[in-house]
Amino acid sequence: LYGSPNEDGFFDELGSDSVGFAHGVTLPIFTWILHRNSGAHFNPAVTLGMIVIRKINWSTGMFYIIVQFLGAICAALFIQAQLGVEIADAISEKSLIGLPRPDSGIYNVSGMWTELFGTFVLVYVYCAFNVDHAKTRPLEVFPVAIGFAYFLCYITVGDVSGGGFNPARALGPAIIIGKMGNTQFMQFFGPLAGAVLAALLYKLIFVDEDDEDEEEEGYTDEIKEYSVPVNEKSQMIELQ
């Protein structure tokens, strides 16, 4: 998000309310569209949390994470190409083309704790709709809940750390514009730590071992129900 051009030809940054609102509207839309296809992680921190509590396997999770980082890099490249070289250079010090930045004077420790807190809230909300299968919650509400949670986190603590709450969103633009530094360190490890804590805490409090066993048994029975024995397969091939 790089704002709109002013009289001098530079781009004024959007305020925290505007940026938070943009995320709060955009995130639910993409979640509605893609939740049934991929789970709508869109965030390496969310994916890591699901890996830790074994809701997805490591191979699938790592594939998700790689694609998420590639998506962030491609998005930053697209914005740079859309603006053109001259405009991109003119605003590089003004808005850094979508790179989340903390307030001046904020220490890295404070920023990391803020990123940890914000991502903790997001992943906790995600778990409430996607992990706890013992309680039925309408998935139609999930996109609104996750978007509203992001909006609240951004307008309350986003100015402290830059409001990334997503390692891909922090590293993607930083790689393209060459602004790697301590800020990216806190915006990378803070969200990952917050996601792991949220996922583990939610599982510890709300998910029973019996519920997990029933879920695994149900999944196994579903596989058996739709699987076809080898002998039947060979007979089907011969008939064809």
Side-chain angles (χ1 to χ4, degrees):
L1 294 173
Y2 46 84
S4 56
N6 56 25
E7 296 178 355
D8 299 327
F10 290 98
F11 280 69
D12 296 323
E13 290 187 16
L14 295 175
S16 59
D17 294 346
S18 300
V19 177
F21 179 77
H23 282 88
V25 173
T26 306
L27 188 57
I29 293 174
F30 282 97
T31 302
W32 261 312
I33 296 172
L34 298 174
H35 179 258
R36 295 186 182 275
N37 299 97
S38 65
H41 292 187
F42 307 137
N43 188 335
V46 175
T47 303
L48 180 62
M50 297 302 102
I51 292 175
V52 170
I53 61 175
R54 296 187 297 178
K55 291 302 174 183
I56 59 174
N57 57 51
W58 277 97
S59 59
T60 303
M62 292 307 298
F63 176 76
Y64 274 33
I65 291 174
I66 292 173
V67 172
Q68 287 157 359
F69 278 110
L70 288 176
I73 294 173
C74 291
L77 282 172
F78 176 79
I79 293 175
Q80 197 173 49
Q82 182 185 28
L83 295 175
V85 177
E86 295 182 358
I87 298 179
D89 290 341
I91 69 171
S92 61
E93 296 301 327
K94 286 275 184 178
S95 67
L96 299 183
I97 312 181
L99 181 68
R101 290 179 298 163
D103 279 344
S104 58
I106 297 297
Y107 294 102
N108 289 330
V109 176
S110 300
M112 184 174 292
W113 277 109
T114 303
E115 289 288 306
L116 186 151
F117 168 77
T119 311
F120 180 94
V121 173
L122 294 178
V123 175
Y124 199 87
V125 172
Y126 187 93
C127 291
F129 286 90
N130 294 276
V131 173
D132 187 9
H133 296 283
K135 299 177 182 178
T136 57
R137 292 185 175 90
L139 286 178
E140 292 78 8
V141 183
F142 167 59
V144 178
I146 197 71
F148 193 65
Y150 197 108
F151 174 69
L152 288 179
C153 290
Y154 198 98
I155 63 174
T156 52
V157 298
D159 289 337
V160 177
S161 64
F165 312 132
N166 185 333
R169 181 174 179 263
L171 288 183
I175 292 173
I176 297 304
I177 64 178
K179 292 289 183 180
M180 299 292 293
N182 294 333
T183 300
Q184 282 64 53
F185 177 85
M186 71 177 182
Q187 292 172 343
F188 184 84
F189 289 101
L192 295 180
V196 171
L197 288 175
L200 290 176
L201 183 62
Y202 191 91
K203 181 179 180 181
L204 178 66
I205 297 175
F206 293 106
V207 181
D208 296 330
E209 293 183 1
D210 295 337
D211 296 332
E212 288 188 310
D213 293 338
E214 290 178 2
E215 181 183 348
E216 292 179 0
E217 290 176 1
Y219 179 71
T220 304
D221 293 339
E222 183 179 354
I223 293 176
K224 290 180 179 179
E225 180 180 353
Y226 288 100
S227 61
V228 180
V230 177
N231 293 335
E232 293 185 12
K233 286 184 178 179
S234 59
Q235 294 175 2
M236 293 171 61
I237 294 173
E238 291 177 358
L239 290 175
Q240 291 177 352

